[in-house]
C-alpha cells in the first residue's frame, strides 16, 4: 500500500484540532496548575550513605520538605548484615530551624553500635516529625541504601 507524503502532516493537524476542541470544552479551558506546599511534611532517605571512620559511623542523607513555618526532627536507623551478624545504629536530631516551604537536605551521622558498618547494601529508615501551631505530623521512608 502506497501512502502520500501528506499523511503525517494531516495526522498532526488532526491531533492539534482534537486537543483544541477538548481544551475549549473542558471547564475553564486550559489553565495553569498551581503547585502548593503539601499539608504534611515529607522525608526521603537518599540511596547513598558515606562510610565514616573505618565503619564507626555512616553519614546518612535525608531530603525533606515541610510547609513554611513548621520545624522538623528526624530519627534515622541504619541496619546492615555483616557476615552472620548485624551492624546497626540510630540517631535522633531536633532542628530548631523553621521550614521554608522548599526542598532541603539533612546530613546526619549515625554511629554503629554493635559492629562497624562496611561498604555495601544496608537498610535505612527515617521518621520525620513536623511541628507547627498545634500540629504534629509524621512522615517516614524506608529503603535499601548503599554505603560507600
Amino acid at each position: 500500500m502506497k501512502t502520500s507524503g501528506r499523511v503525517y502532516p494531516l495526522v498532526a493537524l488532526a491531533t492539534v484540532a482534537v486537543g483544541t476542541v477538548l481544551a475549549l470544552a473542558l471547564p475553564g479551558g486550559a489553565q495553569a496548575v498551581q503547585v502548593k506546599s503539601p499539608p504534611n511534611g515529607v522525608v526521603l532517605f537518599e540511596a547513598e550513605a558515606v562510610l565514616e571512620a573505618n565503619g564507626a559511623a555512616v553519614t546518612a542523607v535525608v531530603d525533606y520538605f515541610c510547609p513554611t513555618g513548621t520545624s522538623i526532627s528526624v530519627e534515622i536507623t541504619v541496619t546492615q548484615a555483616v557476615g552472620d551478624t548485624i551492624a546497626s545504629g540510630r540517631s535522633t536530631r531536633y532542628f530548631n530551624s523553621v521550614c521554608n516551604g522548599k526542598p532541603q537536605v539533612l546530613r546526619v551521622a549515625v554511629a554503629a553500635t554493635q559492629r562497624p558498618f562496611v561498604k555495601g547494601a544496608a537498610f535505612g529508615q527515617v521518621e520525620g516529625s513536623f511541628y507547627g501551631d498545634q500540629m504534629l505530623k509524621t512522615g517516614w521512608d524506608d529503603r535499601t541504601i548503599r554505603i560507600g
Side-chain angles (χ1 to χ4, degrees):
M1 177 174 175
K2 188 172 184 172
T3 59
S4 75
R6 303 188 102 191
V7 171
Y8 295 114
L10 291 176
V11 170
L13 181 60
T15 303
V16 170
V18 168
T20 302
V21 169
L22 287 174
L24 293 175
L26 294 173
Q31 296 181 1
V33 176
Q34 289 184 341
V35 178
K36 295 183 179 180
S37 298
N40 300 324
V42 176
V43 290
L44 296 171
F45 212 118
E46 285 197 7
E48 296 282 329
V50 178
L51 190 66
E52 304 286 356
N54 295 319
V58 295
T59 297
V61 181
V62 174
D63 298 321
Y64 72 98
F65 180 90
C66 44
T68 300
T70 58
S71 297
I72 182 175
S73 69
V74 294
E75 182 173 316
I76 298 171
T77 304
V78 177
T79 306
Q80 183 182 43
V82 179
D84 60 352
T85 63
I86 297 292
S88 67
R90 175 177 292 187
S91 183
T92 302
R93 296 286 187 264
Y94 300 96
F95 296 92
N96 290 329
S97 62
V98 176
C99 298
N100 62 11
K102 297 178 183 175
Q104 297 178 64
V105 177
L106 295 174
R107 287 173 176 73
V108 179
V110 179
T113 54
Q114 294 93 356
R115 177 176 178 95
F117 292 111
V118 297
K119 291 183 178 184
F123 191 70
Q125 297 172 290
V126 60
E127 181 175 319
S129 297
F130 303 93
Y131 305 89
D133 292 336
Q134 313 236 337
M135 173 181 83
L136 169 62
K137 301 290 183 182
T138 302
W140 63 90
D141 185 32
D142 48 27
R143 67 183 64 219
T144 299
I145 62 170
R146 174 144 310 275
I147 298 173

